[in-house]
Amino acid sequence: MKKNPWYYIPTLYLAEGFPYIVINTVSTVLYADLGFSNEQIAFWTGWLYLPWTLKMFWSPLVDARSTKRRWLLGAQTLMSAVFLVLAALSAWNAFAHAQAANNLTFFSLSLFGFLAGAFVSATLDIATDGYYLLALTPVEQSKFVGIRTIFYRLAMILGSGILVAATGALANSKGNPAENMVPWPYNWAILFLFLAVFFLACVLWHNYTLPKPAEDGPVHTEHGTAWGEAFKTYFTQKNILYILAFILLYRLGDAFLEKIVPLFLLKPQAEGALGLSVQTYGLIKGTLGLGAVIVGNLAGGWLLAKYGFKKCIWPFAVILILPNFFYAYMAWAMPSTWVVAVLITLEHLGNGLALMAFTVFIMYISQGAFKTSHYAISTGIMALGMMVPSMTSGWLQAKTGYEGFFLLASFISLVTVAVVPLSFKIKSIEETEAAFRAHKH
C-alpha cells in the first residue's frame, strides 16, 4: 500500500533545512554573540559552504551504493551525533571560559564541528532530494514541489528565527546573570542539544513512515563508473553554459547578504549596526518572517503552476534583489525596530517567491537515470556561487562600512536580472515543464 506523501515530505524537508541554516547562519549569530570580528566570522564560516560545493563529487556514490532511504536515515543519525558534539563543546566553552570573548580554541573546535555537520548535511541533501524524485510520481512531484519548499524554508526561518529567539530569551542579559533563565552562554549548548534530540526523533519517525520505492536501488551503468556517467551526462547536456551561468549568478546579490545581514542586525550601534538583541532578531525572523515565507512559497508555487517558469522568472528576479536595497536604506537611515521588521518581512516574502523559481529550475534540468546526481551537481554549483561572495563579504564590509557595503551589494545584485534571458535559451526547461503539465492532464 502506497503511503501518503503528507506523512513524510514535510518532515524530510524540515530535517534537510535545519542543518543548512544552523551551520551557515546560526553559527554567524553564535560567533557574533561571543564577540568575534566580522572579518573572522564571514571568512571562516564562508568555508562551511565547501561541502555543499563538493557534494557533486560523492553524489554518484549515493546513486551507486545502497538505497536513498538508507542514506538519508544514516545521515540523519550522524546529524544528531554532530549536534550532540556541538552541544558538549558549547557547554565546555561556557564552563571553562564563562565570560571570555574571542576564545579561539572554542572557535576552531566548533568550526570543525560545523564543518563535519556540513559534510553530513550535504549528503543528507543528496539522499533526500534523490528519494523525492524516486518516491513520488511526476504528478506528485509537481504537487509537492511547493510543499517541500515551504517546509525547507520553514526550517530555515524556524532555525534562524524561533530557535534563535528562544536561545536569546534563555540568556538575554550578559551583564546581569540574575535576569537569565540559564547562565550565558550555556543557552547555546541547550540549542544544540535540542537539535540533537530533534534529529533522533526524525530517524525514528522516518524509519517508520518512509515507503520503499521499487526504483530506489543502486544505479547500474553499462560503461564506466556511476561517477563518470553522472558527470558526463550532466556536463554534455544542451545549453550547459547557460545553465551554469544561471545557477552561479542568479543568487549573487543574496550571497553577499548571507553573512553580513545577521552581523548588521546584531552588532552594536556604535559600530554602525542596528544593535538588536539576539531575542529580538529571532522574533522578527521567526514570526513575521515565518508567515511571509509561507505566503511567498505558496504564491510562488501557484504562480509557477499557472503561468509557467518563463512568465514568472522576470518579476521573481527583480523581487529577489530588492532586499539589497532595503539594507542599504537601513544602514543609511538607522530606522526604528518596527521599520526593520517590516522590511525583513518583505525580504522573506520576496525570497519565498523567487527561490521557488530557482528550485523548479534545478528540478527541471535534473532528469534521466542520474537525476539524484544531477540535482546534487546543480546545488553544488549553486553553493560555490554562494561561498565565494560570502567569504569576501566580511573583508568588503570592514573596508567600506555597512552603508558602503550594502550599496555595493545592491549594484552587484543587478547581475541576477542580467542572467534571466539565459534561462529562455535552455530548451530542457520548456520540455520538462511541458511533460509535467501533460502528466497533470
Side-chain angles (χ1 to χ4, degrees), residues 133-407:
L133 296 171
L134 294 172
L136 276 65
T137 65
V139 174
E140 288 173 330
Q141 288 177 36
S142 181
K143 175 183 176 183
F144 278 90
V145 65
I147 303 304
R148 65 178 260 186
T149 306
I150 285 173
F151 279 90
Y152 183 81
R153 295 290 297 170
L154 185 65
M156 299 182 83
I157 298 301
L158 287 173
S160 63
I162 297 296
L163 291 184
V164 169
T167 303
L170 290 174
N172 202 34
S173 176
K174 299 177 189 177
N176 187 0
E179 296 180 6
N180 296 330
M181 285 183 271
V182 298
W184 176 84
Y186 279 101
N187 52 330
W188 290 102
I190 293 174
L191 168 65
F192 294 125
L193 183 60
F194 169 81
L195 289 167
V197 173
F198 170 80
F199 271 92
L200 182 59
C202 281
V203 173
L204 297 175
W205 174 248
H206 292 143
N207 188 51
Y208 172 72
T209 59
L210 292 183
K212 298 178 180 179
E215 294 181 18
D216 187 14
V219 175
H220 300 289
T221 60
E222 295 181 7
H223 305 287
T225 64
W227 188 92
E229 287 293 314
F231 272 80
K232 180 182 177 182
T233 53
Y234 185 88
F235 286 101
T236 57
Q237 65 180 300
K238 292 180 181 178
N239 310 124
I240 184 60
L241 293 180
Y242 297 145
I243 290 171
L244 294 176
F246 187 85
I247 293 173
L248 280 169
L249 299 174
Y250 180 70
R251 296 187 63 188
L252 185 61
D254 191 31
F256 274 99
L257 297 186
E258 183 94 355
K259 300 297 181 183
I260 300 302
V261 163
L263 302 175
F264 171 65
L265 296 174
L266 291 165
K267 287 297 182 88
Q269 291 184 355
E271 298 178 16
L274 293 182
L276 302 181
S277 70
V278 171
Q279 185 178 10
T280 301
Y281 167 89
L283 284 172
I284 293 173
K285 287 270 191 177
T287 52
L288 297 172
L290 176 62
V293 163
I294 292 173
V295 172
N297 280 149
L298 287 171
W302 181 81
L303 289 167
L304 285 161
K306 183 173 179 62
Y307 298 108
F309 178 84
K310 284 190 174 182
K311 288 184 179 178
C312 291
I313 190 61
W314 271 118
F316 285 9
V318 172
I319 288 168
L320 182 61
I321 69 174
L322 288 179
N324 296 75
F325 296 90
F326 293 167
Y327 285 106
Y329 163 75
M330 285 189 270
W332 170 73
M334 303 296 286
S336 61
T337 302
W338 76 266
V339 174
V340 174
V342 169
L343 291 176
I344 290 175
T345 302
L346 291 174
E347 174 192 7
H348 287 304
L349 177 65
N351 279 349
L353 285 165
L355 296 182
M356 268 298 299
F358 193 70
T359 300
V360 167
F361 176 88
I362 292 179
M363 188 174 73
Y364 282 174
I365 63 167
S366 302
Q367 301 298 320
F370 291 95
K371 60 181 70 176
T372 298
S373 294
H374 287 187
Y375 200 101
I377 292 169
S378 295
T379 54
I381 294 166
M382 179 205 71
L384 178 63
M386 297 292 289
M387 176 180 168
V388 176
S390 69
M391 289 179 67
T392 59
S393 62
W395 178 82
L396 279 174
Q397 186 278 318
K399 296 296 182 185
T400 61
Y402 287 109
E403 188 176 346
F405 172 80
F406 288 125
L407 283 172

Side-chain angles (χ1 to χ4, degrees), residues 26-98:
V26 177
S27 64
T28 304
V29 179
L30 165 67
Y31 293 137
D33 193 40
L34 294 176
F36 294 96
S37 72
N38 287 9
E39 285 183 85
Q40 276 180 301
I41 295 170
F43 180 76
W44 290 108
T45 60
W47 282 102
L48 297 176
Y49 282 113
L50 188 63
W52 283 280
T53 302
L54 298 178
K55 70 179 182 180
M56 66 180 80
F57 295 108
W58 72 87
S59 62
L61 179 66
V62 178
D63 263 331
R65 298 285 186 273
S66 193
T67 66
K68 310 301 181 297
R69 187 180 187 276
R70 288 175 184 167
W71 275 103
L72 72 87
L73 289 173
Q76 287 177 359
T77 303
L78 286 175
M79 208 69 246
S80 178
V82 166
F83 282 126
L84 192 61
V85 170
L86 286 168
L89 279 172
S90 299
W92 164 78
N93 178 59
F95 176 75
H97 306 274

